[in-house]
Amino acid sequence: MKASQFLVSTLKEAPQDAEIVSHQLMIRSGMIKKLGAGIYSYMPMGLRVIRKVEAIIRQEMERAGAIELTMPLVQPAELWQETGRFEKMGPELLRIRDRHERDFVIQPTSEEVVTDIARQEIKSYKQLPKNFYQIQTKFRDERRPRFGLMRGREFIMKDAYSFDASPEKARESYATMASAYRRIFDRFGLQYRAVAADSGAIGGDLSEEFQVIAATGEDAIVFCAQSDYAANMEKAQALAPRHARAQATRPLAREATPSQTTCEEVAALLGVPLQQTVKSLIWVHEQSGESGAPAPEFFMVLLRGDHELNEVKLAKVPHFAQGQLRLAHAKEIEGLFGCGPGFLGPVGRPQGMHLLVDRDAALMSDWVCGANEAGFHLSGVNWERDLALPLPEEVYDLRNVVSGDLSPCGQGTLSIERGIEVGHIFYLGTKYSKAMNATFLDVNGKPQAMEMGCYGIGVTRLPAAAIEQNHDDKGMIWPESIAPFVLVICPIGMDRSEEVRVQAHALYEQAVELGWDVMLDDRGERPGVMFADWELIGVPHRLVVSDRSLKSGVAEYQHRRDPQATELPLGEVISFLSGKIQH
Ligand code: ATP
Ligand code: MG
């Protein structure tokens, strides 16, 4: 490609709304152009990266036996009503109407359509397993589209769906995808971690997220440096404390805490460590709003003051298997306790209010909590003496792990780092196939629901994640496998020197011949402008040809990560690059 024919469109400044480096650099380098909130054009420079990401995914998906199709962007609501998702999914699902007033959705994923295809195509166990995938535009009306392609509303996803005859076979399909994903992410040349993720109501351990490590990542990921244990924060297990509950040593006392409503403030006022306090959160469990549904139930959740509630773990408490959970409103709390949420505690709580106690909180002694009276807390609170010991069915792992916790693998302690979720693989079981009656005839001729899995990769999020991980103050630094161009040739003074023109073109032609993704910058720009542009764009390999270098029979080579250029005799340039360029 020659720059004079391409669109090289760089900016010195990033727009105001670009908060993170990948967003800034993608706009500045002309990779993407904003059209609306979370909606971008993929400009020629950006599309080259996206296409390379797609090509790697395609190769590895096919190697793993998945087959490509494309499902419609606009999908009839009827299919989505079969699974109930048309009603259940919130405003993230974009619903539209056609001229006949029929409802449609723009696909946020495609479980319904692919299951519809499977129930028509697959009749017998002999046709299983099958894995269908597409690389397609998705639309999700995200509450907060931001960070450019990182969280767009319109974006590209690779979504694959496996169909199997039994849970065991589905497990095999899942394992095949798990290893295909590792190959894919290895080939992107990024530092990543596959972490265990929560698999929702289905249970089991068949859900993993692929997280690109980056300080700006939205997700907290938990790992043990001494083993291969890794999980996302939602899933990471806090081990039960090993110590026994200490004896009570302090009397129960009522303490004035006139304006102290947080554990931090109360601990500071009373001069006790934060770990000595307990926070009490009120959650409401409701069945669906139909008439005759049981009245809402209130739960008091107790955690050590320095710990944070993990809502995914809370939702897994067996009692909550059905219905919805939400935090109580301030008004409800006032009504029940006669005081605000900053002064609550389990001692003397309203009658019949259930307790849910984190395992750490259950083993505390001499603790501090609210007195259920505005302006007061209790100190020296002890289980057994001041309130009944929590029952086993009241004690759960309910908190987020913290760095330094013992690892569930038993081999070390947990560390926490930030990650960007670029892929997610998931065993679905028969959730969709049962809802949509997607059955096949088994060996005995009996109809069975197909076992499904789904496997996503954020195709347009990936380049953003790659940039978050690989950049410097000059711009992006692409891993070679997904760089928009692998090599750029910058001739200096080509308009003045025939020799420079001839040599630069000769090198360019040889590179093209070798199949490299090469860019010849024939725009006639000054060296400073050329260098700044290609450093911003992050092309890994650069060759400079100038009158001066040609006088000594060399070209100057510099990798985007090299501090300095190296001189290469002209005759050796191509063989040198052949040793460097892998793709
Ligand atoms: P997130 O937690 O980031 O919202 P998700 O759990 O909704 O992700 P999935 O439904 O599992 O995501 O989608 C599969 C992949 O699609 C994700 O791993 C992510 O890489 C990508 N993805 C999801 N939402 C977006 C978005 N709004 N913009 C860009 N990529 C996205
Ligand atoms: Mg989401």
Side-chain angles (χ1 to χ4, degrees), residues 388-435:
L389 272 178
L391 302 168
E393 62 269 27
E394 293 174 332
V395 180
Y396 296 92
D397 169 20
L398 294 174
R399 68 173 176 94
N400 282 338
V401 297
V402 292
S403 157
D405 276 348
L406 288 177
S407 169
C409 66
Q411 289 168 44
T413 55
L414 294 177
S415 303
I416 297 173
E417 63 188 348
R418 309 296 303 178
I420 301 169
E421 184 198 317
V422 286
H424 191 180
I425 60 178
F426 203 93
Y427 167 58
L428 287 170
T430 53
K431 179 174 164 194
Y432 291 89
S433 51
K434 278 205 174 126

Side-chain angles (χ1 to χ4, degrees), residues 92 140 142 151 461:
E92 240 181 56
R140 294 182 182 181
E142 299 273 357
R151 185 169 293 286
R461 181 180 283 184

Side-chain angles (χ1 to χ4, degrees), residues 92 108-109 140 142 149-158 209-210 218-219 421-424 456-461:
E92 240 181 56
T109 56
R140 294 182 182 181
E142 299 273 357
L149 297 193
M150 196 71 88
R151 185 169 293 286
R153 292 199 294 164
E154 181 174 312
F155 59 98
I156 302 176
M157 190 201 289
K158 185 283 296 180
E209 288 170 356
F210 289 76
E218 284 187 329
D219 296 356
E421 184 198 317
V422 286
H424 191 180
I457 295 180
V459 171
T460 42
R461 181 180 283 184

